Amino acid sequence: MVNQMNPTYSIILESANLGMSGFESLMGVLNTIEAQTKTIPGRRETVVLIDDRLSTEQVSMIKDVSPQAILHKVEGQPSYFFYKMEGVPYCTGEVVLFLDMDVFYGEGVIKTLLSTFADIPEASISASQIGCATSSPVEIAMSRTGRVKTGYGHDTIVENFNFKMNSFAIKREVLLNNIPKRIEGFFRGDSMMWKKALEERGYRSFMQPGLVIMHEIPSSLWENFVRIITYSADRIARSQYFLNEDNEFKYRFNLSKRVWSFIHFNKYNLGKTIKSIKYLWQKDKGPSKIKILASLPIIMFNLLTSVLVSLACIISNKPFIEL
């Protein structure tokens, strides 16, 4: 059972995104963790997941900022999802928080995520929406085509499973009972299927309102392209595969249902994008109309990429798309 008022908690911080974000981003989040947890009782440990891309000097800098942190070196090339799960064995807190190195966490994020379990004892997961800047055409295109959510805020706690893997807290007992068996290789889609499995198994997830959580924006058109590929693969995999009782990913649909999932995903993606652009166009305080118009070619390219990636997913016999 979780101590509802002051649960003990562990934090897992990954460095899987070093290829797209610099070491400074990792250190920024680590400093944020140290600052925000000073006034929150109950922290057990911070687990920092590292790999061969970090130098000895950089590892020492991590230890200087967070002397009590547990540093675990991730071996092999696990997917983003399984990379994060590498930290779970080191966690002893009643609640486990997952944070990413390429996200800015505003004041009070950690405290608010933990407060969900006091306000709603039946909650298994606490999360919040995540946004990004919209000051350039590339940023606008990324925020409009699904990798991050902007413009759909809410004023009260809402129950849904639309949380991102880079900003959520989960009861440790729930996590331990629902960790899929690791599959080697760089795949996409596993995190989406895991969330869907939790929802189908009756766990409850709640989204906190008003938190400032901002994802780093793509630094180039190439990075924008890569992120759209991963987003599309995540979404289509969710509708095709499931997590069975033995926590193994299994194939769900025959060919006709795979075609249906392809149509459903792209229809959903187009509708959401149009709605999102319309919201931004009508917003009083937002990017200029010229910048929005300049983002449209990139948005169209992103949508076309999503169609091609989702097509590759449904004709593949693998449980995930391999990148």
Side-chain angles (χ1 to χ4, degrees), residues 4-42:
Q4 304 295 349
M5 296 308 297
N6 292 298
T8 58
Y9 61 98
S10 306
I11 298 174
I12 296 177
L13 174 62
E14 56 79 27
S15 57
N17 293 321
L18 273 173
M20 293 187 179
S21 300
F23 178 69
E24 295 77 11
S25 298
L26 175 63
M27 294 301 291
V29 177
L30 198 58
N31 277 299
T32 296
I33 291 172
E34 293 301 316
Q36 292 195 16
T37 56
K38 284 182 179 179
T39 58
I40 308 173

Side-chain angles (χ1 to χ4, degrees), residues 193-249:
M193 289 180 281
W194 179 70
K195 289 188 288 184
K196 184 64 176 177
L198 292 177
E199 184 177 13
E200 291 177 346
R201 291 174 180 181
Y203 297 107
R204 302 182 67 184
S205 171
F206 293 85
M207 304 282 282
Q208 285 280 0
L211 296 181
V212 178
I213 305 176
M214 301 293 287
H215 198 288
E216 286 188 2
I217 53 91
S219 58
S220 65
L221 287 174
W222 170 249
E223 184 180 334
N224 168 80
F225 175 65
V226 171
R227 290 187 181 275
I228 290 299
I229 288 178
T230 58
Y231 165 72
S232 305
D234 284 348
R235 294 295 306 186
I236 203 72
R238 174 174 175 169
S239 65
Q240 292 188 62
Y241 297 88
F242 71 102
L243 193 64
N244 67 11
E245 293 180 356
D246 296 323
N247 286 335
E248 295 177 323
F249 289 124

Side-chain angles (χ1 to χ4, degrees), residues 268-311:
Y268 162 83
N269 204 32
L270 178 61
K272 186 183 67 172
T273 301
I274 293 174
K275 181 179 179 181
S276 184
I277 295 172
K278 183 178 179 181
Y279 168 86
L280 199 62
W281 185 270
Q282 296 174 342
K283 190 176 180 181
D284 292 332
K285 295 182 179 180
S288 67
K289 300 293 190 295
I290 293 177
K291 288 183 178 179
I292 295 175
L293 291 173
S295 73
L296 292 181
I298 306 174
I299 290 174
M300 293 175 64
F301 175 78
N302 288 349
L303 290 172
L304 178 60
T305 301
S306 293
V307 171
L308 296 177
V309 171
S310 58
L311 181 62

Side-chain angles (χ1 to χ4, degrees), residues 103-142:
V103 176
F104 170 79
Y105 299 96
E107 184 177 354
V109 167
I110 294 175
K111 183 177 181 179
T112 303
L113 290 178
L114 290 171
S115 72
T116 304
F117 302 104
D119 298 334
I120 310 173
E122 62 271 25
S124 298
I125 298 166
S126 172
S128 177
Q129 287 187 336
I130 182 168
C132 76
T134 54
S135 57
S136 73
V138 173
E139 293 169 359
I140 294 171
M142 179 56 65

Side-chain angles (χ1 to χ4, degrees), residues 11-269:
I11 298 174
I12 296 177
L13 174 62
E14 56 79 27
S15 57
N17 293 321
L18 273 173
M20 293 187 179
S21 300
F23 178 69
E24 295 77 11
S25 298
L26 175 63
M27 294 301 291
V29 177
L30 198 58
N31 277 299
T32 296
I33 291 172
E34 293 301 316
Q36 292 195 16
T37 56
K38 284 182 179 179
T39 58
I40 308 173
R43 182 171 66 154
R44 288 290 183 86
E45 57 273 307
T46 296
V47 182
V48 182
L49 303 175
I50 61 175
D51 54 48
D52 289 332
R53 292 173 295 179
L54 288 176
S55 67
T56 302
E57 181 182 359
Q58 289 172 327
V59 172
S60 297
M61 293 172 65
I62 292 173
K63 293 179 179 179
D64 289 341
V65 172
S66 186
Q68 305 303 318
I70 298 172
L71 272 62
H72 170 68
K73 185 176 180 179
V74 178
E75 303 290 347
Q77 291 184 312
S79 68
Y80 167 76
F81 174 78
F82 284 110
Y83 194 110
K84 299 175 81 69
M85 293 298 141
E86 286 272 326
V88 175
Y90 300 96
C91 296
T92 61
E94 297 168 301
V95 173
V96 179
L97 292 94
F98 287 88
L99 305 180
D100 274 17
M101 60 164 290
D102 56 354
V103 176
F104 170 79
Y105 299 96
E107 184 177 354
V109 167
I110 294 175
K111 183 177 181 179
T112 303
L113 290 178
L114 290 171
S115 72
T116 304
F117 302 104
D119 298 334
I120 310 173
E122 62 271 25
S124 298
I125 298 166
S126 172
S128 177
Q129 287 187 336
I130 182 168
C132 76
T134 54
S135 57
S136 73
V138 173
E139 293 169 359
I140 294 171
M142 179 56 65
S143 69
R144 297 306 102 183
T145 44
R147 267 317 280 183
V148 292
K149 292 180 178 293
T150 56
Y152 294 99
H154 43 88
D155 298 325
T156 59
I157 295 177
V158 296
E159 183 173 0
N160 66 50
F161 266 82
N162 293 328
F163 65 90
K164 298 293 184 181
M165 292 295 293
N166 47 23
S167 180
F168 77 102
I170 182 172
K171 289 180 178 177
R172 180 170 170 266
E173 60 181 346
V174 174
L175 182 59
L176 292 178
N177 289 330
N178 295 276
I179 296 182
K181 297 177 182 178
R182 174 170 163 172
I183 297 177
E184 294 300 324
F186 185 49
F187 297 99
R188 296 298 303 200
D190 38 15
S191 61
M192 295 295 292
M193 289 180 281
W194 179 70
K195 289 188 288 184
K196 184 64 176 177
L198 292 177
E199 184 177 13
E200 291 177 346
R201 291 174 180 181
Y203 297 107
R204 302 182 67 184
S205 171
F206 293 85
M207 304 282 282
Q208 285 280 0
L211 296 181
V212 178
I213 305 176
M214 301 293 287
H215 198 288
E216 286 188 2
I217 53 91
S219 58
S220 65
L221 287 174
W222 170 249
E223 184 180 334
N224 168 80
F225 175 65
V226 171
R227 290 187 181 275
I228 290 299
I229 288 178
T230 58
Y231 165 72
S232 305
D234 284 348
R235 294 295 306 186
I236 203 72
R238 174 174 175 169
S239 65
Q240 292 188 62
Y241 297 88
F242 71 102
L243 193 64
N244 67 11
E245 293 180 356
D246 296 323
N247 286 335
E248 295 177 323
F249 289 124
K250 294 295 182 180
Y251 183 58
R252 184 195 296 268
F253 289 153
N254 57 27
L255 180 59
S256 62
K257 291 184 178 179
R258 291 163 81 183
V259 172
W260 173 88
S261 68
F262 167 79
I263 296 172
H264 175 76
F265 162 71
N266 286 290
K267 180 180 178 182
Y268 162 83
N269 204 32

